[in-house]
Amino acid sequence: MIYLDNSATTPPYPEVVDVVQKAMLSFFGNPSSLHQKGVEAENLLKQARMVSAQALQCKPSEIIFTSGGTEGNNAAIKGVAFQYQSRGKHIITTAVEHPSVYDAAGQLETFGFDVTYLPVDHDGRVSLESLQQAIRPDTILVSIMHVNNELGTIQPIKEIGTFLKLHPRILFHVDAVQSFGKVPFKMKEWGIDLLTLSAHKFHGPRGVGILAKREGVTLHPLLAGGGQESGNRSGTENIPGIAGLAKALRMTGETQAKSIAHMQKLAEVLRAGLMEIPECVINTPQTGSAPHIMNISFPGMKAEVLVHALEEHGIMVSTKSACSSKAQEPSRVLLAAGIKREQAIASIRISLSGQTSLEEINLFVSGLRESLARISPYMKA
Ligand SMILES: Cc1ncc(COP(=O)(O)O)c(C=O)c1O
């Protein structure tokens, strides 16, 4: 099996599985309980918070454990909107966000908020100028992703964050779900107030993530309840998931430099191989993109047919992003980047991890050639 769908999810590190299992068996207490089992679980939670804070270079008190990227994004955007609405009701985001940001902003419109969706260029990138022009006296939040999950485009987060420091009343949220371990970022230096991560994108368990929140920022909590996570996220903590997340964070952080260099090399080989296939159009920009995502199209061909043909070679890739891949519509993200409908419908995404090998990339390219040769005559008929 050649697994090239790592932007959808990554296989967990075996060490993470061990930690999760150990936590489930031995640290099953509720961290809010006063007895020994509770205290043991609470200590594990504290340790995971410390590890997470170290990885993100923030304070342990700035870490909120969540159920993943979708929750982190919703909690940040709605949390800011409802908390700061007396300051203003204008939010800025982009046309290429993940649905957990884009649709959360859309829901806020139904609550009377005004949302500006910044356009992107042909690479899928927003410009600082368009953001500057969109800012209004009633703007309370800017939410922009770091790495786009479909195209791999890196947004100019450092420039935007630096500019927003001039507007301290506007909070800056970054969806960094696709960047941790692939494209380094600096939360504090770049002026990021809120940052979302999801463990299953870096070999951690599913259903757990982090919303890092700068000290001094208050969120209206999405979930009311027992007041866990300093009142920001009620609900009994997912200790095994959180312990596994901390393990994956540490392992990914420690191997990041090597892993990025490795993925960059693989991406070059992949791009060179794809460029030799005449029907292939590469949608991912050559510069300013993450090393793990390659989006390509075969205009005139149905992406699903190709995905299934590749599967017969034991190769797993996806159409669009996993969450929306069952929908028949062309990708909103690709259309926003000015990619034509016919090309957008025919796009597939290949996504790597630090564990992908050169041999797998070569086998993918030959498998792709064979699949195309097999299905092309039928597609043209
Ligand atoms: C950029 C981005 N944001 C958010 C999410 C949602 O994360 P989760 O699957 O943990 O809810 C994803 C998942 O694909 C993503 O790629």
Side-chain angles (χ1 to χ4, degrees), residues 41-304:
E42 195 192 7
N43 285 341
L44 192 59
L45 180 61
K46 266 191 200 150
Q47 208 182 315
R49 203 181 298 284
M50 296 264 291
V51 170
S52 305
Q54 249 166 25
L56 295 179
Q57 295 173 357
C58 66
K59 294 183 188 166
S61 57
E62 295 177 313
I63 299 288
I64 304 168
F65 291 116
T66 65
S67 67
T70 299
E71 185 189 325
N73 286 339
N74 273 270
I77 292 163
K78 294 174 184 170
V80 167
F82 291 126
Q83 182 66 30
Y84 294 97
Q85 56 185 320
S86 59
R87 275 190 196 171
K89 288 190 129 186
H90 180 231
I91 292 166
I92 301 173
T93 185
T94 81
V96 293
E97 296 301 306
H98 185 268
S100 55
V101 168
Y102 192 85
D103 294 344
Q107 283 183 325
L108 286 172
E109 288 184 273
T110 67
F111 282 93
F113 288 85
D114 200 4
V115 181
T116 300
Y117 298 90
L118 298 176
V120 294
D121 65 13
H122 198 60
D123 285 345
R125 196 169 290 112
V126 286
S127 71
L128 177 60
E129 294 69 40
S130 71
L131 171 75
Q132 286 168 330
Q133 282 161 19
I135 295 224
R136 309 190 321 210
D138 61 340
T139 307
I140 52 171
L141 173 69
V142 172
S143 177
I144 300 183
M145 71 200 321
H146 188 199
V147 169
N148 184 270
N149 51 304
E150 293 190 41
L151 283 167
T153 309
I154 302 172
Q155 301 295 355
I157 297 301
K158 185 179 174 190
E159 287 76 4
I160 291 171
T162 305
F163 163 72
L164 286 174
K165 284 182 187 168
L166 304 171
H167 295 266
R169 287 169 68 82
I170 301 177
L171 295 174
F172 186 29
H173 167 247
V174 174
D175 173 354
V177 166
Q178 289 291 345
S179 49
F180 186 76
K182 289 108 179 180
V183 181
F185 53 81
K186 293 205 156 72
M187 182 175 164
K188 290 291 160 83
E189 268 180 58
W190 295 5
I192 300 170
D193 297 300
L194 294 145
L195 181 130
T196 305
L197 291 187
S198 175
H200 73 103
K201 307 287 185 181
F202 50 88
H203 309 283
R206 234 123 300 167
V208 62
I210 288 177
L211 174 61
K213 177 178 76 65
R214 182 177 60 72
E215 200 169 51
V217 174
T218 308
L219 293 179
H220 181 88
L222 276 191
L223 303 178
Q228 289 89 344
E229 296 299 291
S230 305
N232 289 301
R233 203 277 178 184
S234 286
T236 302
E237 298 87 341
N238 170 11
I239 297 293
I242 292 169
L245 172 148
K247 182 75 183 170
L249 263 183
R250 183 180 271 167
M251 288 181 66
T252 303
E254 281 168 2
T255 53
Q256 173 168 274
K258 219 172 134 196
S259 163
I260 291 175
H262 174 66
M263 287 186 281
Q264 274 165 346
K265 179 92 198 92
L266 296 188
E268 276 170 32
V269 173
L270 176 59
R271 191 175 276 273
L274 292 169
M275 282 167 71
E276 281 176 18
I277 302 176
E279 311 94 299
C280 177
V281 181
I282 302 180
N283 300 317
T284 294
Q286 183 147 18
T287 53
S289 62
H292 67 303
I293 297 179
M294 189 72 77
N295 190 305
I296 58 177
S297 293
F298 294 89
M301 198 166 282
K302 265 202 181 135
E304 300 88 86

